[in-house]
């Protein structure tokens, strides 16, 4: 009951007079105070409402509690002015006092807050400072926008560069998440970037080792290696996306760090070397083919050299099959020779490292008419027998005929494993070898035939020499008796004075008989000498000859004869000519024969010259006579036995036809040589002796 009474007394106006009594209820004064307090109350409430609205809208407003306190203070002040109006007629001064007390409390609290907040408010920039700060902020914002625009342009440029370069670029962050995957990389893989772990990169993006068949493990992926701080440089790998051609790439990369050394991730660039690899493979294939061609050329040269150095058919063909079989690495190689009359082909020569020998096997051509018909026409072909065959066996077989313009001689067989195919280079090589086989076989057979003829001719020649030797020995005895009888006849005719008259027929017949006897004796002696030289039974007697004096001694018997024939004779020998070591008797016979011929065939007024000279390796003696020339067609035959040049013997001296042949034999026995030259109306014979390696 106390509380309601207290409130009733508090609101009661009993005992008080309205405030209007103070104004004596004068209408003008009361109205003035009424309007003034009402206007102040309306203004206060309006200000408070606007402050509350302002604070509500500006949540970022500093010191917003002060604004709220000012709003409460103004409302309280406005309320006191309303109470002033109310108390003009209702004197509830207790309520008015309480309201004023509350207004005072709010005012004091607001004042206290202002004391605390004024230093902070004073610290706030002034409008001028705010304007300067605003301008600075705007400039910073502008710069930031410019930087952002520049960064945007750089980013767009970098993206454009990454998207337009031909090399693939891929990057991941420190956790292995792919952050960069440019267009070239997407084309390489035929897939776009995907959020995969490093363990899935190899399988998802079809990364293989350089062989193109082995999938890369996680540790082998270049980006993963770069992420593990490994410097990756030109690591080859293969990308083999499904339903797309394989690509060979060279990957290079490394880990990425910021300026503080913190790892940001890794980056790898991939350069497409597919075309280069293909070109390299083509080059390697071309190089291999070129090397194979060079090897085949060397093999062909080796076969040709070995074949060329032999005229033995068996050795030639066995060499061919061995070299060809080893050079080509085949399992079988053979040469089969034909007998076209009997229509058979015989396996004669083989190279059989893997296949059983078929040597001596005779094949009937009639069993395979098509095969041998092609071979006889010079056609080369390949066979591949799946099942064992009587001719080709089992596997790949190359058959090439051995033929030339005279016909087919046989064929070359080469066999290899079933999956093999003889390439064009091997085919051409075998054809060339077969052609050489044909030529060499023809030559060998011709050589064998010629050797048989030579052996037969040698037998005939030996029989002839034996006959001549026998005849010469048999003729020598009667010729000695004839010579003795001629001498006795000469003594008898001298005693009968038959030689006094040149017209005496008996004397003329005697001289003819004497000359022919000497001629026959010389012929017999020359034949015996030739036989002795051919048998090389007479030992040589080396002797040192000083040609400066010896040549004059040899020519001395011919000087009177030359003077009688009105011939000039000259000897030219340098004083420093080295001595000649040879058989003196043989050399004397050679020089005598040459000087005798020179005297016989040099016309009156002609010149006979004997010249000697030496070089570093040989010594030469030449005998030259003028006035006579041997034709070019007859010159090569002057050293043949019994060859005589009748046209060059105007005086009909005659002769045995063995003089120059004997001279050549004598020079050969002395390890020297003799040559004949004839031109400019003169003839020259040159003797050549080696200074080293002679007798």
């Amino acid at each position: 009951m106390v509380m309601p009474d207290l409130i009733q007394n508090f609101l009661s106006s009993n005992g008080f007079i309205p405030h209007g009594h103070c104004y004596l209820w004068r209408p003008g004064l009361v109205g003035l105070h009424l309007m003034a307090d009402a206007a102040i109350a309306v203004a206060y409430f309006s200000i408070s409402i606007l402050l509350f609205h302002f604070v509500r809208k500006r949540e970022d407003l500093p010191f917003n509690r002060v604004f709220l306190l000012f709003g409460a203070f103004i409302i309280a002040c406005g309320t006191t002015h309303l109470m002033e109006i109310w108390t003009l007629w209702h004197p509830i001064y207790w309520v008015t006092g309480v309201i004023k007390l509350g207004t005072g409390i709010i005012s004091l609290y607001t004042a206290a807050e202002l004391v605390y907040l004024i230093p902070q408010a004073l610290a706030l920039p002034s409008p001028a400072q705010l304007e300067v700060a605003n301008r600075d902020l705007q400039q910073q914002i502008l710069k930031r926008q410019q930087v952002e625009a520049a960064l945007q342009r750089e980013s767009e440029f970098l993206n454009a560069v990454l998207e337009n370069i031909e090399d693939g670029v891929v990057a991941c962050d420190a956790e292995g998440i792919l952050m960069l995957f440019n267009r070239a990389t997407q084309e390489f893989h035929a897939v776009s970037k995907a959020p995969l772990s490093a363990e899935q990169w190899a399988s998802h993006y079809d990364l293989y080792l350089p062989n193109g068949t082995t999938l890369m493990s996680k540790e082998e992926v270049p980006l993963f290696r770069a992420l593990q701080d490994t410097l990756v440089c030109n690591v080859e790998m293969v990308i083999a996306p499904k339903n797309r051609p394989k690509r060979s790439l060279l990957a290079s990369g490394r880990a990425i760090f910021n300026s503080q050394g913190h790892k940001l991730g890794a980056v790898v660039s991939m350069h497409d070397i597919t075309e280069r690899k293909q070109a390299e493979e083509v080059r390697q294939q071309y190089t291999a083919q070129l090397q194979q061609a060079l090897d085949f050329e060397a093999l062909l040269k080796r076969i040709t050299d070995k074949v060329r150095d032999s005229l033995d058919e068996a050795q030639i063909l066995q060499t061919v099959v061995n070299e060809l079989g080893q050079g080509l690495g085949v399992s079988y190689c053979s040469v089969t020779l034909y007998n076209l009359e009997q229509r058979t082909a015989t396996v004669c020569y083989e190279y059989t490292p893997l296949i059983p020998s078929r040597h001596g096997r005779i094949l009937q051509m009639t069993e395979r008419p098509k095969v041998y018909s092609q071979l006889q026409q010079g056609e080369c072909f390949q066979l591949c027998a799946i099942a064992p065959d009587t001719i080709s066996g089992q596997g790949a077989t190359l058959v090439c005929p051995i033929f030339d313009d005279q016909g087919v001689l046989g064929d070359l067989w080469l066999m290899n494993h079933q999956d093999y195919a003889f390439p064009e280079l091997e085919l051409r090589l075998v054809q060339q070898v077969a052609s050489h086989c044909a030529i060499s076989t023809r030559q060998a057979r011709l050589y064998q035939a010629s050797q048989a003829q030579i052996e037969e001719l040698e037998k005939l020649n030996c029989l002839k020499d034996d006959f001549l030797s026998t005849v010469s020995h048999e003729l020598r005895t009667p010729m000695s008796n004839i010579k003795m009888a001629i001498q006795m006849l000469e003594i008898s005719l001298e005693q009968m004075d038959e030689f006094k008259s040149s017209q005496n027929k008996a004397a003329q017949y005697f001289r003819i008989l004497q000359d022919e006897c000497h001629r026959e004796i010389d012929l017999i002696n020359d034949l015996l000498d030739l036989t002795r030289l051919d048998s090389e039974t007479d030992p040589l007697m080396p002797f040192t000859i000083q040609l400066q004096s010896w040549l004059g001694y040899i020519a001395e018997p011919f000087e009177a004869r030359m003077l009688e024939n009105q011939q000039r004779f000259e000897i030219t020998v340098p004083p420093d000519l080295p001595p000649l070591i040879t058989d003196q008797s043989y050399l004397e016979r050679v020089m005598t024969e040459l000087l005798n011929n020179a005297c016989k065939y040099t016309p009156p007024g002609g010149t006979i010259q004997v010249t000697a000279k030496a070089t570093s390796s040989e010594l030469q003696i030449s005998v030259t006579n003028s006035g006579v020339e041997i034709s070019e067609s007859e010159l090569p035959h002057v050293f043949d036995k019994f060859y005589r040049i009748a046209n060059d013997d105007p005086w009909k001296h005659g002769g045995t036809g063995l003089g120059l042949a004997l001279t050549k034999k004598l020079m050969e026995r002395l390890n020297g040589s003799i040559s004949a030259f004839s031109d400019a109306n003169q003839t020259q014979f040159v003797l050549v002796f080696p200074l080293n390696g002679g007798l």
Side-chain angles (χ1 to χ4, degrees):
M1 293 297 291
V2 177
M3 192 63 174
D5 292 341
L6 181 60
I7 294 173
Q8 184 177 1
N9 292 332
F10 181 74
L11 296 174
S12 175
S13 59
N14 293 332
F16 301 103
I17 62 175
H19 198 62
H21 286 287
C22 295
Y23 302 131
L24 301 177
W25 297 106
R26 295 175 69 174
L29 185 58
V30 173
L32 177 61
H33 282 276
L34 175 63
M35 292 177 63
D37 287 327
I40 291 172
V42 171
Y44 279 177
F45 285 122
S46 298
I47 291 172
S48 299
I49 291 171
L50 292 174
L51 284 175
F52 285 129
H53 178 72
F54 177 72
V55 171
R56 184 183 176 188
K57 294 296 184 181
R58 289 293 303 272
E59 295 180 357
D60 60 340
L61 186 67
F63 314 126
N64 55 357
R65 194 172 66 172
V66 174
F67 288 93
L68 294 176
L69 288 175
F70 269 105
F73 165 68
I74 294 172
I75 289 175
C77 290
T79 304
T80 58
H81 284 281
L82 287 177
M83 290 307 296
E84 286 295 330
I85 296 174
W86 184 263
T87 56
L88 285 175
W89 290 279
H90 305 285
I92 51 174
Y93 296 120
W94 283 103
V95 176
T96 302
V98 171
I99 291 173
K100 287 183 178 181
L101 178 61
T103 300
I105 292 171
I106 292 172
S107 300
L108 290 173
Y109 184 74
T110 301
E113 284 294 324
L114 286 174
V115 171
Y116 174 74
L117 293 175
I118 282 176
Q120 297 183 28
L122 291 175
L124 291 174
S126 64
Q129 292 175 329
L130 287 174
E131 185 178 358
V132 173
N134 188 38
R135 287 199 299 270
D136 293 341
L137 183 60
Q138 289 179 350
Q139 292 178 356
Q140 292 177 5
I141 292 172
L142 180 60
K143 289 181 180 179
R144 181 175 179 180
Q145 291 175 345
Q146 292 174 348
V147 170
E148 289 178 350
L151 289 175
Q152 181 66 24
R153 288 195 300 272
E154 291 181 1
S155 177
E156 292 176 354
F157 179 77
L158 179 59
N159 289 333
V161 170
L162 291 174
E163 291 300 314
N164 285 278
I165 60 176
E166 296 298 327
D167 288 353
V169 179
V170 61
C172 67
D173 60 13
E175 284 72 33
I177 299 175
L178 295 181
M179 304 299 294
L180 179 62
F181 205 82
N182 72 338
R183 175 192 57 80
T185 306
Q186 294 178 18
E187 292 180 356
F188 290 163
H189 296 284
V191 294
S192 59
K193 181 176 67 175
L196 301 172
S197 62
E199 288 77 7
Q200 298 174 296
W201 288 347
S203 59
H204 181 77
Y205 292 115
D206 303 308
L207 304 180
Y208 292 84
L209 293 176
N211 59 22
T213 57
T214 305
L215 190 68
M216 277 187 168
S217 63
K218 175 186 69 175
E219 291 76 13
E220 293 171 325
V221 176
L223 185 60
F224 184 83
R225 292 175 58 190
L227 190 61
Q228 303 304 312
D229 299 337
T230 300
L231 180 61
V232 179
C233 184
N234 291 333
V235 174
E236 185 175 347
M237 65 178 183
V238 173
I239 297 177
K242 299 175 181 60
N243 301 323
R244 293 287 295 274
K246 293 182 180 180
R247 289 178 179 267
S248 297
L249 305 176
L250 281 182
S252 299
R254 63 176 64 202
I256 305 172
F257 297 90
N258 61 12
S259 58
Q260 287 76 33
H262 179 68
K263 185 190 293 185
L264 301 178
V267 63
V268 167
S269 66
M270 296 172 290
H271 180 63
D272 189 354
I273 59 170
T274 304
E275 293 183 358
R276 192 180 79 186
K277 288 283 289 185
Q278 292 173 349
E280 180 68 19
E281 291 176 359
V282 171
R283 187 188 67 82
Q284 290 177 354
Q285 292 176 357
Y286 176 76
T287 302
Q289 292 176 353
L290 179 60
Q291 184 61 45
Q292 187 180 39
L294 293 175
D295 293 341
F296 285 173
E297 184 178 352
L299 175 61
L300 179 62
K301 184 179 184 302
R302 187 166 64 249
I303 293 175
T304 304
D305 291 342
K306 290 185 177 181
V307 166
R308 185 180 62 239
D309 295 338
S310 176
L311 288 171
D312 185 347
E313 180 179 344
Q315 181 182 1
I316 290 171
L317 296 179
Q318 188 61 52
T319 299
V320 166
V321 296
N322 290 340
E323 291 290 340
L324 196 59
Q326 294 173 7
L328 297 182
V330 296
S331 56
Y332 181 82
C333 181
S334 69
V335 168
T336 302
L337 297 180
Y338 294 169
N339 187 330
L340 297 179
E341 294 180 357
Q342 300 179 5
R343 303 296 294 169
T344 59
T346 306
V347 180
C348 297
Y349 307 96
E350 288 182 315
Y351 168 77
T352 59
L354 299 176
I355 296 178
S357 174
R358 304 178 181 183
H359 186 269
R361 183 177 180 181
I362 300 176
L363 305 175
Q364 298 297 327
M365 294 185 180
T366 54
E367 295 179 359
R368 296 282 176 146
K370 292 183 179 180
V371 171
Y372 287 104
S373 174
Q374 285 182 268
L375 291 173
Q376 290 182 50
Q377 292 175 8
E379 297 179 8
C380 186
F381 57 88
Q382 296 192 50
L383 301 172
C384 184
I386 299 176
D389 184 84
T390 56
I391 294 181
S392 60
Q394 182 174 1
T397 303
L398 174 63
V399 188
C400 186
I402 301 174
F403 77 101
D404 57 10
D405 54 353
Q406 299 181 38
V408 63
L409 297 172
D411 56 49
L412 267 171
W413 286 75
L414 289 91
M415 299 182 188
N416 217 326
H417 55 81
Q418 184 173 335
D419 297 330
Y420 189 79
F422 290 91
E424 183 66 23
L425 281 175
E426 292 185 359
L427 178 60
R428 289 204 300 267
L429 173 66
V430 174
Q431 288 176 327
Q432 289 176 323
V433 171
S435 177
H436 282 289
C437 282
I439 296 172
S440 301
T441 302
R442 293 286 187 194
Q443 289 178 341
R445 292 180 179 181
L446 181 61
Y447 173 74
Q448 293 299 327
S450 63
Q451 284 296 108
Q453 293 178 354
I454 290 173
E455 290 176 0
E456 186 66 25
L457 290 175
E458 286 180 349
K459 291 180 181 179
L460 294 175
N461 193 46
C462 289
L463 291 175
K464 181 203 69 174
D465 290 341
D466 292 342
F467 171 76
L468 290 176
S469 178
T470 302
V471 169
S472 299
H473 280 287
E474 294 297 326
L475 289 177
R476 197 166 191 177
T477 301
M479 288 305 300
S480 298
N481 294 333
I482 293 173
K483 183 177 181 181
M484 184 178 297
I486 291 173
Q487 291 175 348
M488 297 301 294
L489 179 61
E490 182 181 9
I491 295 172
S492 300
L493 291 175
E494 286 179 350
Q495 291 175 352
M496 291 185 296
D497 294 330
E498 293 293 334
F499 293 124
K500 292 182 179 180
S501 174
S502 59
Q503 301 296 325
N504 192 317
K505 295 292 184 182
Q508 293 179 0
Y509 296 150
F510 173 79
R511 291 190 181 90
I512 293 173
L513 180 63
Q514 189 179 42
D515 291 341
E516 292 301 321
C517 179
H518 285 302
R519 186 167 177 271
E520 288 300 321
I521 291 174
D522 290 341
L523 175 61
I524 293 171
N525 290 333
D526 288 345
L527 287 173
L528 291 174
D529 288 340
L530 282 173
T531 304
R532 240 186 351 263
L533 289 172
D534 287 336
S535 62
E536 298 184 357
T537 56
D538 289 347
L540 295 175
M541 304 295 292
F543 186 79
T544 302
I545 301 174
Q546 300 292 340
L547 293 178
Q548 292 89 340
S549 58
W550 185 83
L551 288 175
Y553 166 76
I554 292 299
E556 185 176 352
F558 296 92
E559 290 180 355
R561 182 178 172 184
M562 294 176 188
L563 184 61
E564 181 182 353
N565 294 336
Q566 300 178 4
Q567 298 165 340
R568 292 191 298 273
F569 180 65
E570 299 176 359
I571 298 180
T572 304
V573 181
D576 57 347
L577 189 72
L580 175 64
I581 300 176
T582 188
D583 188 299
Q584 183 173 345
S585 62
Y586 279 18
L587 181 60
E588 183 174 347
R589 291 192 65 179
V590 170
M591 290 300 299
T592 300
E593 177 67 24
L594 294 179
L595 289 173
N596 183 49
N597 287 342
C599 288
K600 286 197 304 182
Y601 299 116
T602 302
T607 303
I608 300 174
Q609 294 179 320
V610 176
T611 306
K613 64 179 180 178
T615 64
S616 59
S617 59
E618 61 187 25
L619 187 147
Q620 295 181 1
I621 301 174
S622 62
V623 178
T624 307
N625 62 300
S626 63
V628 64
E629 182 175 341
I630 303 174
S631 66
E632 186 176 354
S633 61
E634 293 178 323
L635 192 62
H637 304 289
V638 295
F639 297 105
D640 294 345
K641 295 177 183 178
F642 302 107
Y643 187 80
R644 299 175 62 187
I645 308 174
N647 294 334
D648 289 339
D649 189 3
W651 300 277
K652 306 299 180 183
H653 293 292
T656 64
L658 294 176
L660 290 178
L662 181 61
T663 300
K664 184 177 181 181
K665 283 289 184 181
L666 290 170
M667 287 300 298
E668 291 175 353
R669 188 78 174 90
L670 295 176
N671 291 330
S673 64
I674 182 171
S675 303
F677 306 93
S678 185
D679 60 0
N681 199 32
Q682 68 176 11
T683 300
Q684 182 183 48
F685 291 88
V686 179
L687 309 178
V688 178
F689 300 89
L691 289 179
N692 298 320
L695 294 183

